[in-house]
Amino acid sequence: MSKDSIYLFDIDGTLTNPTQPMEERDVFDFLSWCVGKNFFLVGGGSHDKICSQLPLSIINRSKGIFSSMGNRLVVKGRVIYQNKWKPPVKLLSELLLWHQKSPYPDKGKDFYETRDGMLNFSVIGINASILRRQRYAGWDSFSQERKTIQRSLQKKFPSLDVRIGGQKSIDVQPQGYNKSQASKWIRKNYSKKMIFIGDKCFKGGNDHDICQDLEKNNDGKWFNVKNPEETFRILNIK
């Protein structure tokens, strides 16, 4: 890994586990690795959500935070850009139908949330507990419900990007309002190679677009990991 590269880290599953915060030893090891390197944080959650997932020491060490699928960039407390989008009524009606006909028994009422430039949808509810997320994730891996919904929505709304994210949700946004906004912004503002680490790099996953962008422009590498332990091994931290 070159220290001259710009690193981009997805949050869930790559630096943190959804079920627990970073251990103190991991924080220390990561901060030691950070010396002399530049990195950005990239996530599907809101800026405040991302900041709540990581210790302040890591947040402050980052060059900036691309939140809401890259639709907002904050650098050292200053908003660099922020996209706005109002989901069409037709989309909201379609999401309601999917929520109603889902056979999953433990559904939540707060099934969608609008963020900067995007919408987040979840059958079990946006604010589901860790335990309920784990249960749904296990059921979804068997039923493939999110993949079914993602493919259907993408076909019905070709002008939108529909992507699977996290353990329980689907991210919807206008075409191009995806995480590749992060790599495009860095390409425009830095003349360095990029290294991206995410956990949803497969087609239809919410990290796929940034991986495609790096491949298309031949100016970076990407890695798909299952957990923070894999991230640390890639970085030669452990």
Side-chain angles (χ1 to χ4, degrees):
M1 296 286 182
S2 172
K3 69 178 182 179
D4 293 326
S5 299
I6 298 288
Y7 292 80
L8 299 95
F9 295 102
D10 183 35
I11 309 301
D12 288 329
T14 59
L15 286 182
T16 66
N17 281 311
T19 57
Q20 60 188 34
M22 286 183 76
E23 295 183 3
E24 186 175 342
R25 180 64 191 179
D26 289 341
V27 174
F28 176 80
D29 289 342
F30 186 76
L31 290 173
S32 297
W33 171 86
C34 288
V35 176
K37 300 181 182 72
N38 294 313
F39 71 92
F40 287 80
L41 302 171
V42 187
S46 67
H47 178 82
D48 290 344
K49 174 65 175 178
I50 291 175
C51 289
S52 72
Q53 291 177 277
L54 292 167
L56 190 59
S57 55
I58 292 179
I59 295 293
N60 290 339
R61 182 64 184 80
S62 71
K63 297 287 289 185
I65 300 174
F66 293 94
S67 60
S68 302
M69 294 292 287
N71 283 297
R72 185 182 188 188
L73 170 60
V74 174
V75 175
K76 304 304 179 185
R78 185 167 68 93
V79 177
I80 304 302
Y81 71 78
Q82 185 175 14
N83 296 328
K84 296 294 183 181
W85 176 61
K86 185 177 181 180
V89 174
K90 186 178 179 181
L91 171 64
L92 298 180
S93 298
E94 188 71 16
L95 294 177
L96 176 61
L97 288 175
W98 277 109
H99 182 262
Q100 290 175 336
K101 69 181 182 181
S102 170
Y104 191 70
D106 185 21
K107 292 185 280 190
K109 295 181 180 180
D110 54 335
F111 62 93
Y112 80 90
E113 176 182 69
T114 56
R115 301 170 185 163
D116 293 317
M118 65 167 289
L119 176 148
N120 184 259
F121 168 77
S122 175
V123 166
I124 64 167
I126 301 302
N127 298 309
S129 67
I130 291 174
L131 180 59
R132 291 179 64 219
R133 291 174 188 226
Q134 290 175 321
R135 288 173 176 169
Y136 180 77
W139 181 82
D140 181 62
S141 65
F142 172 77
S143 68
Q144 299 291 293
E145 178 177 72
R146 287 192 297 166
K147 281 189 177 181
T148 300
I149 296 174
Q150 183 263 331
R151 289 168 180 166
S152 176
L153 290 175
Q154 191 64 84
K155 186 175 181 180
K156 285 190 175 183
F157 300 92
S159 65
L160 302 178
D161 286 336
V162 185
R163 304 290 184 257
I164 295 172
Q167 288 184 303
K168 63 176 181 60
S169 62
I170 292 174
D171 298 316
V172 186
Q173 54 273 325
Q175 269 191 0
Y177 276 34
N178 52 57
K179 288 184 182 178
S180 70
Q181 294 176 102
S183 53
K184 290 173 182 175
W185 187 90
I186 290 175
R187 182 176 299 117
K188 183 178 179 181
N189 291 275
Y190 292 84
S191 56
K192 292 185 177 183
K193 294 283 187 176
M194 287 174 270
I195 296 172
F196 173 71
I197 300 180
D199 72 330
K200 293 290 187 297
C201 298
F202 54 84
K203 186 175 181 180
N206 68 2
D207 295 325
H208 184 65
D209 299 287
I210 192 171
C211 299
Q212 279 194 312
D213 181 61
L214 294 176
E215 289 182 356
K216 177 182 177 181
N217 290 277
N218 194 30
D219 59 356
K221 298 179 180 180
W222 60 269
F223 298 87
N224 190 82
V225 300
K226 296 179 181 179
N227 50 53
E229 289 73 27
E230 287 191 10
T231 298
F232 280 20
R233 284 198 291 271
I234 290 171
L235 300 177
N236 293 317
I237 292 177
K238 293 185 177 181

